[in-house]
């Protein structure tokens, strides 16, 4: 930082690579990647030649050097399992390949690598590193360490004892402090060296794009121990009269919050804690926090066992049994005895909202426990079946009590959560989109509407018709006075020169298809909420993708006696009603083909020519 502040880039970059080499010697690939990232930020995506002090592989442009650096950094992030950071750099490179240098071959390779990183996030287990607060007290330490506290990021599966022993080997003359409280002035001013080490918990800082969204645990878990800058250390203390039968009544928490100068991980595995703040949690606040943590732990275990069938059942068994069996831990029963009393309510009227919050958390724990026990019953071995049955009995008693006192909570259906668009949602969506009037005589039992909507135009004004052959037509042109007679004269020709290709069933199969048509009709009505009416007959029973025309009604053009003959010739697999025609036999053997076309109306003065031309009508 000193060389950067005085604009000595060459020296600054030299020390960056010295630091990178130190990290690689210790297999700290994540920190090595962040270190080289500082060098890449000095370069631009331009074709200008890099300055002499930035060259390391001959004459290169800044674009070439930055691209090379990104490849190295992405490889380091991959080895350090920081795939989120690698994906960010891959996106930046893909933007250059796609929109700047138009190298689609490199773009495809980069996207394949990026896809692999996404897959790793969801499938590969990443152990959470522990964080340790280390205090260097006494005048015997160098000035940059003296009487300061640093937060260290541990290695994977590194225990505090192992970390502390390694730390003591670096300062063999230091004395170990076995307390977690801040030392007094006598320690600060001592000429000796004192080391203090204890574990702290990182505070999750949820990215804004993930808030209030159903995010998988694999994604959330990364942010629980990365991109963190605040850390908690909680120490229980006893205040007031102590109840030997219920320790939660007098269990207070003294919490120290450490804030580092930079987020971890970074270019170092440890950063100085520049701010320390102490707060105190009351016993009720401690109970609320404990219940929140327990519920989150139950939900996390359920998700893990649902996604990985190879996990051992023991952790889930111990967690569930410790909550539901009063002979083990008692669960939240001690909270009820400590806080849900008239005496506590009268002494602490300001905690009314907190009491409601605790009751709500207890009520929500029941469906979580139910899901966990149900999953446990499917995975438990036969020799542990009595243990599971004992747990079920305890849970039944607990559920009955909690639902009576605090209400019933229900989790969303797991199958609906897994499905992108469940059947029920699709059906409700169709019912809300299709706004055709429900009428009397409904077969599906839906509410009927006797009066038409006054705010909508009549079907004739909107140009919507349902032909006697069963095909819907939507007129794109306005009605012209005097054309009614012309259309009547055209009707016979239109039946012969139909704008749709129809297929008629063989008459001898009509009787056997009647049952199928009826079932198709009922299925369609159930899915679309459509009904019959005296002045409206909907015959397109097989089309489940019927276009929705909001606020419009459908009218049959033609005689009523044509409906029965039309129904008798309907194909059970077609999307429209098939009327009789003189098409060839080979076309009859094929499926229904929807032919979309539009012919312009001839402007000839000859009435016969105008009558033989087609109107500007969309047939579908």
């Amino acid at each position: 930082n000193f060389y950067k502040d005085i604009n000595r880039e060459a020296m600054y970059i030299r020390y960056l690579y010295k630091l990178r080499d130190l990290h690689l010697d210790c297999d700290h690939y994540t920190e090595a990647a962040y270190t080289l990232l500082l060098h890449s930020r000095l370069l631009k995506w331009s074709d200008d030649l890099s300055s002499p002090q930035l060259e390391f592989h001959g004459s290169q442009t800044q674009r070439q050097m930055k691209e090379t650096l990104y490849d190295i950094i992405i490889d380091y992030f991959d080895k350090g399992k920081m795939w989120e950071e690698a994906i960010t750099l891959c996106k930046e490179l893909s933007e250059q390949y796609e929109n700047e240098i138009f190298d689609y071959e490199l773009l495809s390779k980069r996207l394949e690598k990026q896809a692999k990183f996404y897959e790793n996030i969801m499938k590969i287990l990443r152990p959470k590193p522990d964080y340790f607060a280390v205090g260097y007290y006494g005048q015997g330490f160098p000035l940059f360490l003296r009487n300061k506290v640093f937060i260290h990021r541990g290695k994977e599966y590194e225990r505090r004892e192992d970390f502390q022993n390694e730390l003591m080997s670096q300062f063999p003359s230091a004395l170990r402090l076995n307390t977690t409280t801040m030392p007094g002035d006598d320690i600060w001013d001592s000429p000796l060296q004192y080391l203090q080490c204890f574990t702290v918990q990182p505070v999750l800082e949820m990215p804004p794009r993930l808030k209030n969204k159903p995010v998988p645990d694999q994604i959330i878990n990364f942010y629980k121990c990365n991109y963190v800058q605040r850390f908690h250390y909680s120490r229980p203390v006893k205040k007031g009269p102590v109840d030997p039968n219920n320790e939660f009544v007098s269990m207070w928490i003294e919490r120290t919050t450490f804030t580092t100068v930079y987020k971890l991980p970074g270019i170092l595995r440890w950063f100085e804690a520049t701010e320390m703040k102490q707060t105190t949690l009351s016993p009720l606040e401690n109970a609320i926090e404990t219940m929140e943590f327990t519920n989150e732990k139950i939900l996390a275990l359920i998700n893990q066992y649902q996604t990985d069938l190879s996990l051992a059942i023991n952790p889930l068994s111990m967690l569930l049994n410790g909550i539901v069996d009063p002979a083990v831990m008692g669960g939240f029963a001690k909270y009820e005895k400590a806080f849900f009393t008239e005496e506590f309510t009268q002494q602490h009227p300001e905690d009314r909202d907190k009491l409601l919050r605790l009751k709500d958390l207890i009520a929500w724990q029941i469906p979580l426990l139910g899901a966990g026990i149900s999953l446990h019953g499917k995975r438990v071995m036969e020799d542990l079946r009595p243990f599971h049955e004992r747990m079920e009995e305890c849970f039944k008693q607990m559920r009955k009590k909690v639902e009576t006192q605090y209400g019933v909570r229900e989790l969303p259906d797991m199958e609906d959560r897994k499905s992108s668009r469940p059947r029920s949602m699709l059906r409700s969506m169709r019912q809300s989109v299709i706004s055709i009037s429900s009428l009397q005589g409904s077969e599906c039992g839906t509410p009927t509407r006797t009066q038409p909507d006054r705010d909508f135009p009549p079907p004739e004004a909107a140009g919507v018709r349902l032909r006697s052959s069963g095909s819907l037509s939507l007129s794109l042109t306005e009605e012209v006075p005097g054309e009614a007679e012309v259309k009547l004269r055209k009707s016979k020709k239109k039946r012969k020169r139909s704008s749709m290709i129809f297929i008629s069933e063989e008459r001898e199969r009509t009787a056997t298809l009647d049952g199928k048509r009826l079932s198709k009709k009922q299925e369609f009505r159930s899915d679309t909420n459509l009904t019959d009416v005296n002045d409206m007959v909907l015959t397109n029973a097989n089309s489940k993708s019927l276009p929705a025309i909001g606020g419009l009604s459908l009218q049959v053009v033609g005689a009523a006696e044509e409906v029965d003959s039309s129904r008798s010739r309907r194909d059970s697999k077609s999307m429209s009603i098939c009327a009789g025609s003189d098409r060839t036999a080979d076309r009859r053997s094929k499926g229904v083909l929807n032919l979309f076309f539009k012919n312009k109306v001839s402007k000839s003065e000859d009435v016969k020519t105008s009558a033989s031309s087609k109107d500007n009508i969309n047939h579908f």
Side-chain angles (χ1 to χ4, degrees), residues 167-364:
L167 194 64
M168 295 296 295
S169 65
Q170 301 177 18
F171 303 95
S173 60
L175 300 177
R176 181 184 302 176
L177 292 177
N178 295 324
T179 62
T180 58
T181 57
M182 189 68 64
D185 294 338
D186 55 337
I187 301 295
W188 284 52
D189 299 334
S190 173
L192 302 177
Q193 295 179 348
Y194 293 91
L195 274 176
Q196 185 184 54
C197 180
F198 51 90
T199 305
V200 293
Q201 302 299 324
V203 179
L204 170 65
E205 296 181 10
M206 185 72 72
R209 65 185 181 88
L210 302 181
K211 291 183 178 179
N212 301 322
K213 296 179 181 178
V215 185
D217 291 335
Q218 295 92 328
I219 300 175
I220 293 296
N221 290 337
F222 172 80
Y223 294 98
K224 289 182 178 180
C225 56
N226 295 284
Y227 306 146
V228 288
Q229 198 169 2
R230 294 188 302 126
F231 304 85
H232 284 167
Y233 176 75
S234 300
R235 186 171 64 92
V237 294
K238 299 289 186 178
K239 292 184 179 180
V242 178
D243 186 355
N245 298 325
N246 195 345
E247 60 180 2
F248 296 103
V249 178
S250 56
M251 181 69 71
W252 293 72
I253 300 295
E254 286 186 358
R255 173 165 296 166
T256 304
T257 303
F258 301 90
T259 305
T260 55
V261 62
Y262 300 112
K263 289 186 177 182
L264 285 166
I267 63 171
L268 296 175
R269 293 190 72 87
W270 51 300
F271 287 125
E272 181 184 357
T274 56
E275 181 182 353
M276 288 176 285
K277 183 174 64 175
Q278 288 189 348
T279 56
T280 303
L281 298 182
S282 66
L284 179 57
E285 293 171 337
N286 180 34
I288 292 175
E289 195 172 85
T290 304
M291 285 297 301
E292 289 176 345
F293 175 77
T294 304
N295 289 355
E296 291 178 0
K297 190 174 181 179
I298 297 173
L299 184 58
L301 272 182
I302 292 174
N303 292 332
Q304 290 179 12
Y305 281 93
Q306 284 180 337
T307 56
D308 191 353
L309 300 179
S310 62
L311 291 177
I313 200 65
N314 295 339
L316 183 63
S317 302
M318 291 187 294
L319 177 64
L320 296 177
N321 191 52
I323 297 175
V324 302
D325 194 346
V328 181
M329 293 177 60
F332 48 78
K334 293 186 177 181
Y335 293 153
E336 295 176 326
K337 296 178 181 178
F339 308 116
F340 299 161
T341 61
E342 290 292 337
E343 181 182 359
F344 185 88
T345 304
Q346 295 176 0
Q347 294 179 357
H348 305 276
E350 70 281 359
D351 291 338
R352 180 177 177 274
D353 293 338
K354 296 177 182 178
L355 289 173
L356 294 177
R357 171 62 177 163
L358 182 57
K359 292 179 181 179
D360 188 60
L361 289 172
I362 293 175
W364 272 113

Side-chain angles (χ1 to χ4, degrees), residues 276-459:
M276 288 176 285
K277 183 174 64 175
Q278 288 189 348
T279 56
T280 303
L281 298 182
S282 66
L284 179 57
E285 293 171 337
N286 180 34
I288 292 175
E289 195 172 85
T290 304
M291 285 297 301
E292 289 176 345
F293 175 77
T294 304
N295 289 355
E296 291 178 0
K297 190 174 181 179
I298 297 173
L299 184 58
L301 272 182
I302 292 174
N303 292 332
Q304 290 179 12
Y305 281 93
Q306 284 180 337
T307 56
D308 191 353
L309 300 179
S310 62
L311 291 177
I313 200 65
N314 295 339
L316 183 63
S317 302
M318 291 187 294
L319 177 64
L320 296 177
N321 191 52
I323 297 175
V324 302
D325 194 346
V328 181
M329 293 177 60
F332 48 78
K334 293 186 177 181
Y335 293 153
E336 295 176 326
K337 296 178 181 178
F339 308 116
F340 299 161
T341 61
E342 290 292 337
E343 181 182 359
F344 185 88
T345 304
Q346 295 176 0
Q347 294 179 357
H348 305 276
E350 70 281 359
D351 291 338
R352 180 177 177 274
D353 293 338
K354 296 177 182 178
L355 289 173
L356 294 177
R357 171 62 177 163
L358 182 57
K359 292 179 181 179
D360 188 60
L361 289 172
I362 293 175
W364 272 113
Q365 193 175 86
I366 296 302
L368 291 174
L369 291 173
I373 292 176
S374 176
L375 182 63
H376 186 272
K378 299 176 183 178
R379 301 279 299 274
V380 70
M381 304 293 291
E382 288 300 325
D383 54 347
L384 293 178
R385 182 63 59 181
F387 166 78
H388 176 76
E389 293 176 354
R390 159 70 178 172
M391 195 161 52
E392 281 186 331
E393 290 296 327
C394 295
F395 174 69
K396 289 179 181 179
Q397 299 177 5
M398 175 187 294
R399 181 175 60 183
K400 181 179 180 181
K401 173 187 174 183
V402 172
E403 290 181 351
T404 303
Q405 295 181 355
Y406 311 123
V408 180
R409 306 291 190 275
E410 292 183 359
L411 292 175
D413 189 5
M414 294 300 177
E415 296 299 327
D416 287 351
R417 291 178 60 186
K418 293 179 181 179
S419 176
S420 59
R421 183 182 294 181
R423 171 77 172 175
S424 59
M425 183 182 299
L426 180 60
R427 178 171 296 180
S428 62
M429 180 186 67
R430 283 176 174 171
Q431 292 178 353
S432 62
V433 171
I434 299 180
S435 56
I436 301 177
S437 302
S438 298
L439 304 165
Q440 294 179 355
S442 173
E443 296 180 7
C444 57
T446 54
T448 59
R449 180 169 33 181
T450 58
Q451 296 295 333
D453 293 336
R454 298 183 179 181
D455 296 336
F456 302 128

Side-chain angles (χ1 to χ4, degrees), residues 108-150:
S108 64
K109 294 180 180 179
R110 184 59 58 187
L111 292 177
E112 289 176 359
K113 202 166 188 177
Q114 181 177 335
K116 185 62 177 178
F117 293 153
Y118 279 114
E119 185 179 358
N120 292 344
I121 291 174
M122 301 304 295
K123 293 185 177 181
I124 296 181
L125 176 65
R126 290 186 284 185
K128 297 180 182 179
D130 288 334
Y131 287 90
F132 310 105
V134 179
Y136 302 85
Y137 300 107
Q139 300 299 318
F141 284 109
L143 187 60
F144 72 95
L145 294 177
R146 187 181 304 162
N147 295 330
K148 293 181 180 180
V149 178
F150 291 81

